[in-house]
Amino acid sequence: MEKVKKVTKIGVLTSGGDAPGMNAAIRAVVRTGLYHGLEVYGIMRGYAGTIDDDIHKMDSRSVANIIQRGGTILKTARCKEFYEPEGRKKAYDNLRKKGINGLVVIGGDGSFRGAQIFSNEFDIPCIGIPGTIDKDIAGTDFTIGFDTAANTAVNAIDKIRDTADAHDRLFIIEVMGRDAGFIALHSGIATGAENILIPERKTDMEELVHGLEEKEKRKKLVNLVVVAEGDDFGGADEVAKLMRSRLPTADIRVAILGHIQRGGAPSCLDRLIASRMGYSSVECLIEGRHNVMVGIMNNRMHFTPLDKAVKAKQKISDEWMKIVKILAS
Ligand code: ADP
């Protein structure tokens, strides 16, 4: 049986797109590591910090007062050099210099791909924690940041509803989600949107327009359409253009929520899953697991090989869309 190398010093980094709750995960990794007597190092700006040797020893106080903060105290970055073997060799040399023999990578599927390649080249086991507001990674029911982003969208859309109601306007609201429509789907249902346009489903424009015409006839006042930025038509502006040509009398406005969805204090759920995943990632390293992503499925920790923890276009069932239609009638 292969002898498991004992992990004694671990590094933690956040990479790729930021997501609220990453700080809670960093805190959990640091404190669980210290609890087990490991040395823990924080690596700045994702893989860039491994290459530039921007690596700092953390203690329990280094992660004090961050559980409630959005963003990431370790900063995040996209790092071109890490795509190259020479860049990864530099990263390895810097980690070895510090004696780091285990790595926790908090990020999206791109960051996991980097971790997988790195770990195959060098003898440093890597554990991934899914941090992305899009919730589109295979092997987990939750990703850190999604719940906060969806709640931010809900709060903003509620405000838009007030003004839409006051003026009898139709608002086309764009939320984040280039490849995945979960923020649109969840926030749209939670705000009573008339329709929800997502990349996973083809939108029938005729049906959409027809539905709105019907509502207009019945004098249904508030109309909100929530659009994921990656829907078939190319976002809210494009949808509005099409709608204006089809519904010339309607007062149509566009609101693009943008980056506010990435910021702010993480929700209770995001803090909780980040804490569980951070804790579990260190346990994994101690148990000698390597190259897996820590996820949660059916409320249990679930481990997926990093090469299978990819962006997953999930099927959104007809039932979801039926709920949208029935409840907005
Ligand atoms: P995310 O993790 O949010 O999906 P990216 O796809 O931008 O974000 O990946 C983050 C970083 O991970 C990249 O900037 C790069 O440093 C590293 N990375 C991604 N893919 C690879 C790869 N195929 N090889 C090496 N490094 C990679």
Side-chain angles (χ1 to χ4, degrees):
M1 201 176 126
E2 197 190 339
K3 195 165 176 320
V4 175
K5 276 198 200 127
K6 202 166 170 314
V7 171
T8 50
K9 300 186 186 189
I10 63 172
V12 55
L13 60 83
T14 48
S15 167
D18 64 315
M22 282 182 159
N23 279 327
I26 296 167
R27 172 180 177 269
V29 170
V30 171
R31 295 208 169 150
T32 308
L34 295 174
Y35 169 81
H36 286 292
L38 308 180
E39 277 183 25
V40 187
Y41 290 84
I43 300 164
M44 301 302 294
R45 294 170 293 106
Y47 294 118
T50 59
I51 292 169
D52 307 340
D53 198 13
D54 202 353
I55 304 171
H56 307 273
K57 197 165 170 194
M58 312 275 277
D59 61 22
S60 187
R61 291 304 95 204
S62 342
V63 290
N65 203 21
I66 64 165
I67 193 167
Q68 78 284 15
R69 280 166 55 191
T72 153
I73 59 162
L74 295 177
K75 312 256 181 199
T76 181
R78 298 205 152 88
C79 172
K80 278 209 183 104
E81 268 188 278
F82 203 75
Y83 285 95
E84 308 302 328
E86 303 79 50
R88 294 194 294 273
K89 173 72 170 64
K90 248 196 237 173
Y92 174 71
D93 290 342
N94 285 329
L95 294 174
R96 287 302 296 170
K97 221 165 51 191
K98 296 257 178 343
I100 293 172
N101 48 15
L103 196 61
V104 176
V105 173
I106 307 167
D109 66 316
S111 304
F112 297 161
R113 221 165 11 255
Q116 168 86 18
I117 292 168
F118 180 68
S119 191
N120 285 341
E121 287 171 344
F122 304 102
D123 58 345
I124 296 194
C126 295
I127 304 293
I129 295 182
T132 156
I133 63 168
D134 290 333
K135 200 174 91 76
D136 58 348
I137 297 212
T140 186
D141 292 336
F142 302 101
T143 61
I144 297 169
F146 168 73
D147 186 61
T148 307
N151 276 298
T152 300
V154 165
N155 289 332
I157 297 169
D158 280 348
K159 292 187 172 107
I160 291 168
R161 174 184 276 275
D162 289 345
T163 171
D165 185 34
H167 288 278
D168 288 353
R169 280 177 177 152
L170 168 59
F171 263 89
I172 318 286
I173 302 159
E174 183 178 299
V175 299
M176 279 188 163
R178 231 171 266 144
D179 306 307
F182 288 106
I183 296 179
L185 189 66
H186 287 224
S187 66
I189 290 176
T191 54
E194 170 64 34
N195 218 312
I196 300 170
L197 278 54
I198 52 178
E200 291 87 344
R201 293 184 72 98
K202 223 177 148 33
T203 303
D204 184 338
M205 189 45 89
E206 287 311 311
E207 195 185 324
L208 178 61
V209 170
H210 182 69
L212 291 167
E213 281 167 343
E214 281 292 301
K215 299 271 160 65
E216 214 180 5
K217 272 188 219 147
R218 284 197 280 126
K219 296 276 173 253
K220 183 175 186 278
L221 297 181
V222 176
N223 280 314
L224 303 171
V225 173
V226 176
V227 180
E229 57 187 332
D231 83 301
D232 310 350
F233 299 104
D237 280 323
E238 295 307 313
V239 173
K241 239 187 252 167
L242 279 167
M243 297 258 218
R244 283 192 186 109
S245 68
R246 299 296 307 276
L247 299 165
T249 57
D251 186 1
I252 298 175
R253 301 294 161 109
V254 170
I256 296 174
L257 301 190
H259 281 82
I260 60 164
Q261 293 160 93
R262 284 195 184 276
S267 68
C268 173
L269 180 63
D270 276 331
R271 296 181 202 192
L272 183 75
I273 61 164
S275 299
R276 288 178 72 187
M277 289 173 178
Y279 166 86
S280 177
S281 67
V282 177
E283 299 273 312
C284 279
L285 285 173
I286 290 169
E287 286 163 12
R289 279 186 205 262
H290 53 91
N291 298 359
V292 294
M293 179 197 77
V294 171
I296 298 176
M297 288 191 97
N298 300 321
N299 205 25
R300 284 169 181 247
M301 300 320 293
H302 186 88
F303 308 104
T304 305
L306 282 180
D307 58 347
K308 301 267 176 340
V310 291
K311 234 183 220 289
K313 199 156 212 163
Q314 289 166 37
K315 198 172 157 359
I316 307 241
S317 77
D318 293 341
E319 190 139 42
W320 279 94
M321 303 320 280
K322 200 170 160 191
I323 291 173
V324 175
K325 211 168 171 180
I326 292 172
L327 301 190
S329 61

